[in-house]
Amino acid sequence: MSIDALIADLTPILGPEGVLTGEQLASRQSGVWASQEIKASVIFRPSSTKELSQTLKSCNLFGQQVVVHGGLTGLVSGALTRSDDVVISTERLNQIEKISVDDRTMRLQAGVRLESAQVAAKKRGLMLPLDLGARGSCTLGGNAATNAGGHQVIRYGMMRESILGLEVVLADGTIIDSMNSMLKNNAGYDLKHLFIGSEGTLGIISRLILRLRPESLSQETALLACTDFSHVIALLNRFDRSLGGTLTAFEVMWKNFYQLVANSTPPLADKFPFYILMEALGNDPEVDRERFIRVISQAEEAGELADAVIVKSGAERDRLWQLRDGVDKIVDLGPSKVFDVSLPLSEMDQYVIEVKQRLKSALPKSLCFVFGHVGDGNLHLVCVPNQEELKAFREVEKAVYNPLANLRGSISGEHGIGLEKKDWLSISRTNDEIQLMRLLKTSLDPQGILNSGRIFD
Ligand code: FAD
């Protein structure tokens, strides 16, 4: 059956607002980067779970391949389209339905943007403990589908830990209402976990119930410089131990990343090998500040710190976080590849040295920037090959992924697999695990219409 017949079938259900074709697609992309142009010829935009269910049911009947679009900030090309795909976008599923202060929960539709949910929680004296650089564009549905990580994982865990309940629409249109709002519920399988991190391959997330926390009353932030990676590890342990459980972010930038993002006016001299952006959230401003300063002084006395700046204002804090989130400065350098690996902290320094050596011998003119959520054992490497070396991208992947095999590291700490990393999945998952994933996929989506080709073929 043709896509035209599917459009004719769904237009009366979704209305003109819910079906975009032709010229209406001119300004649309399949991802945040300009190169990710949209190739699909139609975008369906359901505005309710019922409409989403009817849309999927029709697509399934027509055997039509579907690609799900949230905020399009994913970094593994999971939302890329081909000309024979249709897109289902969650952009009209954008309502925050309820915030319960007593239960500390938020119920919302999947297309709500992360930043809108953060702001809404804050207005009620609560906090949604998920934060990442793409907060202004990414959606909660996309965050759940990718099990997003971000800056606060060390304290609050990944997106999975903030989800109490989900509503999901399966490929055949069946609505699975798993909208639990309790912390404890062991009544059989906890099905939400099947869909969290499944990258839209098992169902489309339509609504969520999120767990909120009390808004913190103090926020202490510092930028630290170190001369040795052993000091980075020592500092992480020290802060975890001595800050009374308030350590919330521990982000590390290697020297050349810091030099690039800090530009001409670095808050600390740009000569040190490692920079740490650390943050503690607490509830007793005076006590928290005094302890924060004391613990940093102790680290200095122990010789673990080469230099430090403790933030005194919100503007200073924003500036430091802008440095850490300044990945677009790398993208401006030319075609690049973003990696997102996980490995034991004790292996991290040696791993980075090895990757850089491998890259140097395979692609001598390439650049490699390293930073990441080191407190979570999660590193990002962004490799920028020289123009002449562009065709050797595969060599870059080998340099980054092959050393992980022996370390039992992960080829994806938080971004997922998408279309980009599936060739390397066997480094981090056993054959039996991959077979079981395939079994789940064929059970829930027998025709393979939903985000097919993502994670594995
Ligand atoms: P999209 O990009 O639209 O989709 C991502 C995948 O999920 C696709 O496969 C899509 O088909 C699927 N999908 C989307 N919505 C749904 C749904 N409702 N149901 C089922 N499947 C769906 N990620 C981190 O984890 N940590 C970070 O610190 C981080 N920082 C970032 C910083 C920047 C500047 C950028 C650009 C990205 C960053 N990311 C980070 C990656 C990205 O923001 C996350 O992966 C985010 O969770 C994607 O959400 P989205 O709504 O943009 O999803």
Side-chain angles (χ1 to χ4, degrees), residues 94-389:
N94 58 5
Q95 297 303 309
I96 295 178
E97 296 174 342
K98 185 177 177 195
I99 297 177
S100 167
V101 175
D102 288 346
D103 297 329
R104 289 193 284 181
T105 56
M106 180 186 290
R107 193 177 73 214
L108 41 65
Q109 289 182 302
V112 172
R113 289 176 197 270
L114 173 59
E115 194 167 34
S116 310
Q118 289 173 332
V119 170
K122 197 174 162 62
K123 278 190 187 147
R124 307 298 300 272
L126 294 166
M127 177 181 70
L128 172 59
L130 175 76
D131 194 31
L132 42 121
R135 64 185 78 76
S137 305
C138 65
T139 62
L140 271 308
N143 298 150
T146 57
N147 188 25
H151 303 322
Q152 301 181 339
V153 172
I154 190 173
R155 172 109 174 251
Y156 300 107
M158 297 180 73
M159 179 63 178
R160 188 182 297 283
E161 271 72 40
S162 289
I163 298 178
L164 295 171
L166 280 186
E167 179 186 78
V168 180
V169 183
L170 302 184
D172 66 359
T174 305
I175 299 170
I176 302 292
D177 177 349
S178 204
M179 291 288 271
N180 166 72
S181 63
M182 297 163 296
L183 260 184
K184 293 177 121 177
N185 185 349
N186 273 350
Y189 300 159
D190 197 345
L191 293 174
K192 64 176 181 279
H193 289 300
L194 202 53
F195 300 98
I196 301 169
S198 70
E199 300 183 44
T201 58
L202 301 182
I204 302 186
I205 296 163
S206 45
R207 289 157 79 227
L208 306 91
I209 296 186
L210 302 176
R211 177 184 179 188
L212 304 177
R213 315 289 175 119
E215 192 190 2
S216 46
L217 302 177
S218 74
Q219 185 175 12
E220 301 300 340
T221 312
L223 180 70
L224 317 170
C226 292
T227 51
D228 195 285
F229 197 77
S230 64
H231 294 159
V232 174
I233 298 179
L235 285 168
L236 174 61
N237 285 315
R238 176 185 289 281
F239 297 144
D240 231 356
R241 196 174 51 238
S242 312
L243 287 174
T246 61
L247 180 65
T248 307
F250 191 90
E251 302 287 309
V252 178
M253 299 173 265
W254 269 244
K255 183 177 174 180
N256 71 345
F257 178 84
Y258 179 78
Q259 288 174 333
L260 183 77
V261 292
N263 229 329
S264 50
T265 52
L268 290 177
D270 64 3
K271 61 184 178 186
F272 301 105
F274 306 102
Y275 295 84
I276 302 165
L277 177 55
M278 52 102 58
E279 192 159 274
L281 298 181
N283 285 308
D284 194 339
E286 245 172 66
V287 172
D288 293 341
R289 176 126 191 119
E290 187 272 322
R291 181 177 52 201
F292 192 77
I293 294 170
R294 176 166 32 88
V295 173
I296 289 178
S297 306
Q298 286 165 350
E300 210 157 11
E301 280 159 27
E304 291 158 0
L305 277 183
D307 207 349
V309 57
I310 298 175
V311 156
K312 290 195 211 69
S313 69
E316 277 180 26
R317 175 175 303 112
D318 290 348
R319 160 108 212 275
L320 293 187
W321 275 110
Q322 274 159 17
L323 294 184
R324 163 58 185 83
D325 289 339
V327 188
D328 47 327
K329 292 244 170 65
I330 306 179
V331 177
D332 292 346
L333 296 176
S336 58
K337 194 145 186 78
V338 181
F339 295 93
D340 156 48
V341 301
S342 256
L343 67 158
L345 262 183
S346 53
E347 308 283 358
M348 206 172 258
D349 190 30
Q350 198 45 47
Y351 169 78
V352 172
I353 291 169
E354 184 178 343
V355 168
K356 285 187 166 176
Q357 276 165 354
R358 283 175 181 239
L359 271 176
K360 205 157 192 62
S361 58
L363 288 83
K365 295 177 184 159
S366 68
L367 299 171
C368 179
F369 299 92
V370 187
F371 60 99
H373 316 290
V374 167
D376 319 328
N378 181 198
L379 270 189
H380 296 315
L381 297 99
V382 188
C383 299
V384 188
N386 181 275
Q387 279 296 329
E388 308 140 32
E389 298 173 331

Side-chain angles (χ1 to χ4, degrees), residues 32-33 67-75 78-79 90 110 131-134 137-139 141-143 145-146 148-151 199-200 203-205 373 414-415 451 454:
V32 267
W33 318 124
V67 176
V68 190
H69 279 188
L72 300 179
T73 66
L75 295 174
T90 58
D131 194 31
L132 42 121
S137 305
C138 65
T139 62
N143 298 150
T146 57
H151 303 322
E199 300 183 44
I204 302 186
I205 296 163
H373 316 290
E414 56 178 11
H415 296 160
N451 272 9
R454 274 75 182 163

